[in-house]
Amino acid sequence: MFEAYEQITRLKNTIEQFSSFIINASTEKDLDEIFALAVDTCINLTGSDGATVYLKEVVDKEEKLVIKATKNLSVNFEFYLGYSIPISAISLCGYTALHKKPVVISDTLNLPENHEFRQFKFFDKSLHYVTINTISVPVFDFENDLLGVVQVINKKAKPSIKIDENNASLLTINYTETDIKIVLAVAALLGLIIDRFRTYEKNELSISNTQKMLYNVFESIKKSISTLNDILINGQQKFIEALQIENKEKLYSLKEGIELFKKEYELTKITETITTIAYIKNKDTDTKIVNTLHEVISTEIRPYDIPVKVKEDEYVIFFHNVDIIKAGMIAKRIERKTLEKLRLNDISVSTLNFTWSFYELKPDEEKSIEEILCFLQKKVNESDGETLK
């Protein structure tokens, strides 16, 4: 009798929580908030330690899964919010997206070597955590096109316990058929909501574009030929001003630069992408030269390269997907741009007293980033680096 009462209570709680999720998600206008609601609902209703919502987006001209919302009750996984993962069998969620079918695994540690699923261990290793079991389900739109993936991990024996790499096997239990249906239901609702949001955005854009077109036609008729040139010039100026978003020049501190690079480097291991680290020693003490170099480093490199100020006269640049030869060419360009800006400002300089050292970092590198930076710093300070010509 008591057992039946417990089952009825659990069922009532499940219905109430899921109904609350449906109501809140259906009325919420912020998509990120809806993703966060989905994560909380999955964790609460399946007894999971963590849950993640991935959305399919184009990253560097390639479709990937991007972490849009995530939560883990044992470790701080939100550090990886915004990270992207390839749509491939390299991970369980990637496999789910690639084959567009749910994946349920009860024991990831004992999968045979030739198993079609591969566990993505990067997050576990970086957080000293172990994923034992998981449910990954695809999210589809109304036309059955893939939008993303919802994943839950580590169903716990008790909600209050914390899991780590030492106790995970003991404290997790298998997911049930009900858990699978709950995650599938959450994913289905997310698909409908995302589809609704995107349809609304398309309609809004279409209306806006139509209004602009009609306005332009009306203006072209209304304005006389004599003032047309002024209109075009004025419009061009406004367009350029709109494009010139405030330039936030920034050189990272050594600590935040290393932290940012470590995050980027872990992902390069997956994509097997090289990185070249350039260390610069500026032996010129002239303030104008120092400021100009600072400006050039801040503005002339690509958005995904990481510029770091080590000391007043020393800098580091982490060049993503660049080999050591190309890094040397970029270094020459930085020197050339620095000279051009100095001369443009009527500062007479014939040569620059910069010393460079480079290190090509491969995905399987065993040295730590701190060791590499010490090595490069030593080279430039002992004048064993390169003086570019």
Side-chain angles (χ1 to χ4, degrees):
M1 184 70 180
F2 181 77
E3 186 176 333
Y5 176 78
E6 242 188 347
Q7 288 179 347
I8 292 170
T9 302
R10 279 202 302 268
L11 179 59
K12 181 183 177 185
N13 180 56
T14 299
I15 292 171
E16 286 177 351
Q17 287 196 53
F18 197 76
S19 298
S20 176
F21 168 65
I22 292 172
I23 293 167
N24 292 330
S26 299
T27 55
E28 177 61 55
K29 295 184 179 179
D30 186 338
L31 205 51
D32 289 333
E33 286 296 323
I34 294 172
F35 294 151
L37 284 170
V39 165
D40 285 337
T41 302
C42 285
I43 289 175
N44 293 335
L45 295 185
T46 64
S48 297
D49 198 33
T52 302
V53 172
Y54 300 87
L55 206 60
K56 185 182 75 171
E57 292 182 353
V58 176
V59 180
D60 293 335
K61 298 182 180 179
E62 180 185 351
E63 286 189 340
K64 293 186 178 182
L65 294 177
V66 179
I67 297 175
K68 289 296 180 179
T70 186
K71 188 175 185 178
N72 191 292
L73 301 178
S74 296
V75 292
N76 182 16
F77 191 73
E78 292 180 16
F79 182 76
Y80 293 103
L81 196 66
Y83 264 50
S84 60
I85 295 173
I87 297 179
S88 70
I90 197 169
S91 65
L92 297 177
C93 59
Y95 183 97
T96 301
L98 182 67
H99 294 280
K100 299 183 179 180
K101 64 180 184 180
V103 174
V104 182
I105 295 185
S106 298
D107 188 355
T108 63
L109 300 183
N110 291 311
L111 292 175
E113 288 293 327
N114 59 348
H115 200 282
E116 62 177 330
F117 304 137
R118 291 171 60 191
Q119 187 191 359
F120 187 45
K121 296 183 179 180
F122 159 63
F123 295 128
D124 281 4
K125 287 181 179 178
S126 65
L127 296 168
H128 302 291
Y129 187 80
V130 176
T131 299
I132 300 295
N133 51 29
T134 180
I135 303 171
S136 297
V137 303
V139 178
F140 297 111
D141 65 11
F142 185 73
E143 295 178 351
N144 212 34
D145 290 327
L146 182 79
L147 295 173
V149 171
V150 175
Q151 184 179 47
V152 294
I153 61 170
N154 286 347
K155 182 177 178 67
K156 299 192 289 188
K158 291 183 180 179
S160 59
I161 57 180
K162 286 193 177 291
I163 291 176
D164 58 38
E165 56 192 350
N166 299 315
N167 64 18
S169 296
L170 298 172
L171 300 180
T172 52
I173 57 177
N174 289 340
Y175 282 107
T176 65
E177 287 296 319
T178 301
D179 294 328
I180 297 169
K181 289 176 181 176
I182 286 170
V183 180
L184 284 168
V186 170
L189 183 59
L190 274 183
L192 292 173
I193 291 171
I194 295 168
D195 202 26
R196 185 190 71 186
F197 265 74
R198 291 185 173 176
T199 301
Y200 177 80
E201 287 174 353
K202 285 178 183 177
N203 289 340
E204 284 289 293
L205 182 62
S206 177
I207 292 169
S208 175
N209 287 340
T210 302
Q211 289 173 336
K212 287 178 182 177
M213 180 188 70
L214 291 173
Y215 175 78
N216 288 337
V217 170
F218 176 74
E219 283 296 297
S220 66
I221 295 171
K222 189 176 73 170
K223 300 294 181 180
S224 65
I225 297 299
S226 62
T227 60
L228 181 60
N229 187 53
D230 291 338
I231 294 170
L232 290 175
I233 292 172
N234 184 52
Q236 185 185 45
Q237 287 172 343
K238 288 182 178 178
F239 180 68
I240 292 170
E241 287 169 6
L243 290 180
Q244 289 175 338
I245 301 168
E246 183 183 358
N247 184 22
K248 298 181 179 177
E249 297 181 6
K250 176 164 185 181
L251 291 179
Y252 294 98
S253 69
L254 183 59
K255 182 180 177 182
E256 63 181 355
I258 288 176
E259 256 182 43
L260 189 61
F261 172 71
K262 282 181 177 178
K263 287 169 62 178
E264 186 179 87
Y265 178 55
E266 289 300 333
L267 285 182
T268 65
K269 292 179 182 178
I270 304 166
T271 55
E272 297 184 348
T273 305
I274 61 170
T275 299
T276 296
I277 304 168
Y279 204 104
I280 316 161
K281 172 81 172 180
N282 175 22
K283 297 179 181 177
D284 290 302
T285 57
D286 188 295
T287 305
K288 292 177 181 178
I289 295 176
V290 171
N291 291 341
T292 304
L293 175 61
H294 180 117
E295 180 188 348
V296 170
I297 292 176
S298 299
T299 58
E300 292 296 331
I301 61 175
R302 302 169 302 175
Y304 41 84
D305 294 327
I306 303 171
V308 175
K309 185 175 182 180
V310 181
K311 296 179 182 178
E312 196 59 39
D313 58 346
E314 294 179 21
Y315 305 85
V316 171
I317 306 175
F318 297 96
F319 290 112
H320 175 70
N321 198 19
V322 168
D323 60 26
I324 199 165
I325 296 172
K326 196 178 230 181
M329 295 167 64
I330 297 172
K332 287 181 181 178
R333 190 183 75 205
I334 288 172
E335 290 205 4
R336 188 181 73 251
K337 290 281 185 180
T338 303
L339 274 173
E340 287 174 1
K341 284 182 179 292
L342 287 168
R343 288 166 183 165
L344 193 64
N345 293 323
D346 295 327
I347 302 168
S348 179
V349 178
S350 56
T351 59
L352 295 170
N353 199 4
F354 298 168
T355 305
W356 298 75
S357 57
F358 302 92
Y359 192 99
E360 189 174 286
L361 185 64
K362 295 180 173 59
D364 57 352
E365 186 65 61
E366 293 181 2
K367 290 182 181 176
S368 71
I369 183 60
E370 288 82 4
E371 288 177 311
I372 294 168
L373 290 178
C374 284
F375 166 74
L376 293 174
Q377 187 179 45
K378 187 177 179 183
K379 277 189 71 174
V380 296
N381 285 327
E382 291 178 352
S383 297
D384 290 333
E386 299 180 41
T387 303
L388 305 177
K389 302 296 183 186

